Amino acid sequence: MPVTKEQIARFEAACRTHGLKITQQRLEIYRTLHQSTSHPSAEALYRQLVRLMPTLSLDTVYRTLATFEELGLVKRVETTGNQSRFEARTEQHHHFFCDNCGQLLDFTWPTFDSMPLPDELEQMGQIREKNLVLHGLCSRCLAGKNNNKQNTGP
Amino acid sequence: MPVTKEQIARFEAACRTHGLKITQQRLEIYRTLHQSTSHPSAEALYRQLVRLMPTLSLDTVYRTLATFEELGLVKRVETTGNQSRFEARTEQHHHFFCDNCGQLLDFTWPTFDSMPLPDELEQMGQIREKNLVLHGLCSRCLAGKNNNKQNTGP
DNA sequence: TTAACTGCAAAACATTTGCACAACC
DNA sequence: GGTTGTGCAAATGTTTTGCAGTTAA
C-alpha cells in the first residue's frame, strides 16, 4: 500500500498540532509502517528501517511508535503474543491471526461494524471501538507451505 | 464464580489424559483462575496464590499456565498490553477492556456468535475461533472513581 | 538559539530455562 | 523407584529511561 500525499500531510499536520518536530526518523517510521501490511513489531520495523538509516536505534522506534499511538496515527494490535505489533491503517477493519505462522491479515466486515451491540453492554460502560480477532490457519499454512515459522513482520 | 466438582473432574481428567501429575500447585492455580473474573496476569495470580502457598514460585505459575494453555484448560486473552492475561472460562464469550483502569469484563453475544463470516474470509484460511474485543471506559471510570489505576487482577 | 529528539548504554520488566531436590504415581 | 514437577537462580527477550550530544524550528 503506497503512502499518499494526503497521509503524509496528515502526519505532518498531526506533528505540528502537537508541537512535534518532523524528523527523518519519524517520517520514515511512519512511511514504512503505512506501507506495510504485516503488522510488524518494533523490532521487525527496526530491522527493515536500519537498512535505509544505519544510525537508527531500536529505542527510537519504540519511542516513536509510542508517540504516534498517543496521536492516534498508529494503533497497537490486539494479540496473545508477548511482542507488540503495530499498524497505521486507520479505516475500520479487523484481523485474522494465523496460529501457525503468526501472520496477521486484515479484513473488513461492514455488516458487523454497523450492528448494534447487545443491551448487556449499556451497563458496562461506554464503548469507543470494536475489534474482532479471528484465529485459525491461513491458506498458506493449510497448504503445508510454512513449517511453523513465526512471523512478526519483515 | 465457584468451581464446580465437574470442572475439577475435567481438570483431573485432562491431566490424566496427558500424563500430567495432579499437584497442589496445578490444582490451586486452576481453581484460583477459575474463580477469578479479573483475567489476571501470571504475576497477579502469583501474588494471590503465594498467600495460601508461601513456597510457590512465579515461574511455576508461568509454566503451569503454559501447560494448561496447551491442554485447552486455560486461554490467553487478546490484549494490547505487554503482560499476558489468562482466563479459565470456556464458554464462548467476548471482552470489554477499560482503557482507563485496564479492567477486562466478559460479555456474551449469541447473535453475533451465530452470524456467518463474510465471504472474503473463505480465501484467507480456516477460522477456528472468533474473539471480539471492545475498548472504552467502564462505568466506574466514567463515574470518575478510578484515577487511572492500571488493573491486571487482584 | 532553544527546545525537542536521538543514540547510546544501562535499567526495568516479563518470561523462559537448566539444574538439583522434592513430590506424585 | 522412577519419572515428572517444583523452586531457585540465572538467562533471555521486550520495552523503558537517563543522559549528553544533535537536530529541527
Side-chain angles (χ1 to χ4, degrees):
Chain A
M1 234 171 278
V3 185
T4 63
K5 282 213 177 75
E6 287 72 28
Q7 279 146 358
I8 297 298
R10 184 179 169 236
F11 161 75
E12 293 181 345
C15 286
R16 265 191 288 275
T17 306
H18 292 82
L20 297 181
K21 293 179 180 169
I22 296 166
T23 64
Q24 266 293 291
Q25 290 89 335
R26 282 181 179 155
L27 189 57
E28 288 306 330
I29 290 170
Y30 182 73
R31 202 202 300 274
T32 304
L33 186 57
H34 215 294
Q35 283 169 334
S36 171
T37 56
S38 64
H39 312 81
S41 61
E43 171 85 41
L45 211 40
Y46 170 74
R47 282 199 306 271
Q48 186 177 347
L49 280 160
V50 81
R51 297 197 299 246
L52 300 179
M53 310 175 68
T55 65
L56 181 69
S57 72
L58 177 58
D59 49 282
T60 294
V61 178
Y62 273 107
R63 255 189 282 235
T64 303
L65 289 170
T67 307
F68 287 174
E69 196 185 9
E70 281 173 41
L71 305 201
L73 286 170
V74 152
K75 278 181 59 179
R76 201 176 287 257
V77 179
E78 316 271 353
T79 64
T80 53
N82 48 17
Q83 207 175 39
S84 289
R85 292 173 67 170
F86 300 87
E87 66 183 357
R89 184 172 171 183
T90 50
E91 321 89 89
Q92 173 67 333
H93 69 281
H94 304 284
H95 294 121
F96 169 32
F97 181 82
C98 175
D99 292 319
N100 185 246
C101 69
Q103 191 180 194
L104 269 165
L105 298 167
D106 290 341
F107 69 94
T108 57
W109 194 3
T111 313
F112 166 72
D113 297 338
S114 58
M115 255 176 95
L117 292 165
D119 292 338
E120 181 185 354
L121 283 163
E122 299 301 327
Q123 283 108 46
M124 292 174 94
Q126 192 173 71
I127 309 305
R128 221 184 38 204
E129 199 182 303
K130 40 185 199 178
N131 302 131
L132 185 52
V133 184
L134 305 185
H135 279 259
L137 295 176
C138 71
S139 50
R140 193 150 46 122
C141 285
L142 275 176
K145 298 214 177 87
N146 272 341
N147 290 314
N148 201 17
K149 175 186 64 121
Q150 281 301 312
N151 179 359
T152 57
Chain B
M1 231 172 279
V3 186
T4 62
K5 283 215 176 71
E6 288 72 29
Q7 279 146 357
I8 298 298
R10 183 178 168 236
F11 161 76
E12 293 182 345
C15 287
R16 264 190 289 273
T17 306
H18 292 82
L20 297 180
K21 292 179 180 171
I22 297 167
T23 64
Q24 267 293 288
Q25 290 87 335
R26 283 178 179 157
L27 189 57
E28 288 305 330
I29 289 169
Y30 182 73
R31 201 201 300 272
T32 303
L33 186 57
H34 215 293
Q35 283 169 332
S36 170
T37 56
S38 63
H39 311 81
S41 61
E43 170 87 41
L45 211 40
Y46 169 75
R47 281 199 307 272
Q48 187 177 347
L49 279 159
V50 80
R51 296 198 300 245
L52 300 177
M53 310 175 68
T55 66
L56 181 70
S57 71
L58 178 58
D59 50 280
T60 295
V61 177
Y62 274 107
R63 255 189 281 234
T64 304
L65 289 170
T67 307
F68 286 174
E69 195 184 10
E70 281 173 41
L71 305 202
L73 287 169
V74 153
K75 279 182 58 180
R76 203 175 286 255
V77 179
E78 316 271 353
T79 65
T80 53
N82 48 18
Q83 211 177 146
S84 289
R85 292 174 66 172
F86 300 87
E87 66 183 358
R89 184 172 171 182
T90 49
E91 320 89 90
Q92 173 68 334
H93 68 281
H94 305 284
H95 294 122
F96 169 32
F97 181 81
C98 176
D99 292 319
N100 184 246
C101 69
Q103 191 180 194
L104 269 165
L105 298 168
D106 290 341
F107 69 94
T108 57
W109 194 3
T111 312
F112 165 72
D113 298 337
S114 59
M115 256 175 95
L117 291 165
D119 292 340
E120 182 184 351
L121 283 162
E122 299 300 327
Q123 283 109 46
M124 294 175 92
Q126 193 173 71
I127 310 303
R128 221 184 38 202
E129 198 180 304
K130 41 185 197 178
N131 301 131
L132 184 53
V133 184
L134 305 185
H135 279 260
L137 295 177
C138 70
S139 49
R140 194 150 44 124
C141 286
L142 275 176
K145 298 216 178 84
N146 273 340
N147 291 313
N148 201 17
K149 176 186 62 119
Q150 282 301 316
N151 179 358
T152 57

